[in-house]
């Protein structure tokens, strides 16, 4: 019903659609993906700026999209392209309701933390990449709601502030659903993997998922809360709390959470 209230579902630009086509081919080519990005000057410039930032901490400067794809992999590059597209698509529309810079900073930090967490658990590269992608895109639903339903979303923020609610609690009370569920729905439509969609959908309440092992969902759930604890300027409501029953089922002790809280993040809040 909430999706039906949107004036229109956001659509990706032609560059991203071509990327997805290539990634879904039987033998996706690193060179072809790099060439597709290079043909879109705006996306190429933003991609290289991000890849060469402290976000990735690479030891040398990356000069071309092809080189970026070789180093970071097809899935990560496609997620970066999607994120840049989404932030551009909704950037102007959301500014009066939420801070785009705060959401971007928060998303980058959660992506880095999520990847670190699953890597520390010995996960294979595909799982690490999925954790990174899910962390980067976990709040895409906020952008959609703030851009498409600004009056309703302003009411959500007021309710969260006045009654001391978490954002998802206020969203559910006013809209009947949350940014996590909406974001997961759209990411499914845009062709993201089940691991990513699940991590986005349940990042506030992982115990409601069917997954009982440490993976992208666990990593994004923890990374999201750790980031809010570390940089309160990136919050727009009362931060969520750990799903301790879920963490207990996975056998994650408090000491491990403390270790992850010590992991250095990309950057501080843009709105101290």
């Amino acid at each position: 019903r909430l999706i039906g209230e949107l004036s229109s579902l956001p659509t990706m630009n032609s560059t991203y659609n071509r990327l997805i086509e290539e990634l879904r081919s039987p033998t996706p080519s690193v060179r072809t993906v790099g060439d597709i990005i290079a043909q879109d000057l705006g996306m190429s410039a933003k991609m290289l700026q991000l890849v060469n930032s402290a976000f990735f901490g690479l030891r040398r400067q990356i000069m071309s999209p092809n080189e970026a794809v070789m180093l970071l992999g097809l899935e990560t590059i496609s997620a970066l392209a999607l994120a840049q597209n989404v932030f551009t698509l909704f950037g102007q529309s959301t500014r009066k309701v939420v801070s785009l810079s705060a959401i971007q900073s928060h998303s980058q930090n959660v992506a880095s933390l999520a990847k670190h967490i699953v890597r520390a658990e010995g996960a294979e590269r595909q799982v690490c990449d999925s954790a990174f992608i899910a962390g980067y895109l976990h709040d895409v639903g906020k952008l959609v709601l703030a851009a498409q339903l600004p009056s309703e979303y302003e009411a959500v923020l007021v309710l969260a502030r006045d009654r001391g609610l978490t954002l998802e609690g206020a969203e559910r009370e006013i809209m009947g659903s949350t940014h996590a569920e909406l974001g997961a729905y759209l990411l499914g439509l845009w062709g993201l993997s089940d691991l990513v969609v699940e991590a986005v959908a349940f990042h506030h309440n992982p115990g409601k998922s069917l997954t009982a092992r440490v993976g992208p969902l666990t990593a994004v759930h923890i990374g999201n809360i750790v980031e809010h604890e570390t940089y309160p300027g990136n919050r727009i409501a009362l931060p969520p709390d750990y799903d301790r029953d879920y963490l207990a089922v996975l056998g994650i002790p408090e000491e491990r959470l403390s270790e992850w809280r010590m992991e250095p993040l990309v950057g501080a809040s843009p709105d101290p």
Side-chain angles (χ1 to χ4, degrees):
R1 286 198 300 269
L2 181 59
I3 291 289
E5 292 174 16
L6 302 182
S7 56
S8 62
L9 283 178
T11 56
M12 295 296 99
N13 68 17
S14 58
T15 301
Y16 182 72
N17 289 332
R18 289 169 61 205
L19 281 176
I20 287 297
E21 243 181 73
E22 177 62 26
L23 289 171
R24 288 177 173 172
S25 69
T27 54
S29 162
V30 168
R31 179 179 293 276
T32 300
V33 168
D35 289 344
I36 291 171
I37 294 171
Q39 290 167 20
D40 186 319
L41 296 181
M43 181 180 290
S44 180
K46 289 178 182 176
M47 182 82 69
L48 290 175
Q49 181 184 27
L50 183 61
V51 167
N52 285 308
S53 71
F55 185 28
F56 283 100
L58 299 179
R59 296 181 181 179
R60 61 185 176 83
Q61 187 168 18
I62 307 304
M63 303 301 294
S64 72
N66 292 84
E67 196 177 5
V69 178
M70 286 288 293
L71 278 173
L72 299 178
L74 294 172
E75 293 293 337
T76 297
I77 287 296
S78 67
L80 292 180
L82 172 59
Q84 293 297 328
N85 202 345
V86 168
F87 284 125
T88 300
L89 193 62
F90 297 115
Q92 295 300 322
S93 306
T94 62
R95 291 185 190 278
K96 293 182 179 179
V97 184
V98 296
S99 167
L100 182 67
S101 59
I103 292 177
Q104 284 183 297
S105 175
H106 172 68
S107 299
Q108 290 182 7
N109 282 328
V110 173
S112 292
L113 263 173
K115 187 170 185 176
H116 166 76
I117 288 169
V118 290
R119 181 183 284 164
E121 294 298 307
E124 58 188 32
R125 175 162 182 172
Q126 182 186 5
V127 175
C128 293
D129 287 347
S130 294
F132 172 86
I133 294 165
Y136 205 155
L137 299 172
H138 75 286
D139 274 347
V140 65
K142 288 181 184 175
L143 298 177
V144 177
L145 290 171
Q148 300 284 73
L149 299 171
S151 298
E152 292 88 339
Y153 213 60
E154 283 181 351
V156 166
L157 298 178
V158 169
L159 179 66
R161 183 192 64 219
D162 290 350
R163 288 178 41 192
L165 300 176
T166 61
L167 188 63
E168 67 274 14
E171 288 170 344
R172 193 170 297 284
E173 186 160 330
I174 288 181
M175 297 179 153
S177 189
T178 72
H179 67 272
E181 293 158 348
L182 176 64
Y185 183 95
L186 291 176
L187 292 178
L189 291 180
W190 290 334
L192 276 293
S193 72
D194 289 345
L195 278 177
V196 171
V197 171
E198 178 190 56
V200 172
F202 296 108
H203 71 266
H204 290 301
N205 45 19
K208 292 185 178 179
S209 75
L210 300 178
T211 299
R213 63 183 182 278
V214 175
L217 171 58
T218 320
V220 175
H221 173 65
I222 294 171
N224 179 52
I225 298 171
V226 169
E227 204 282 343
H228 280 310
E229 291 173 338
T230 308
Y231 295 131
N234 284 341
R235 302 175 192 165
I236 57 178
L238 183 74
D241 199 4
Y242 296 100
D243 186 336
R244 297 192 181 276
D245 290 339
Y246 168 79
L247 297 179
V249 168
L250 297 184
I252 297 176
E254 184 64 37
E255 300 77 45
R256 189 83 58 82
L257 291 178
S258 299
E259 291 172 12
W260 289 329
R261 289 189 188 104
M262 299 298 292
E263 177 68 12
L265 300 183
V266 179
S269 163
D271 301 310

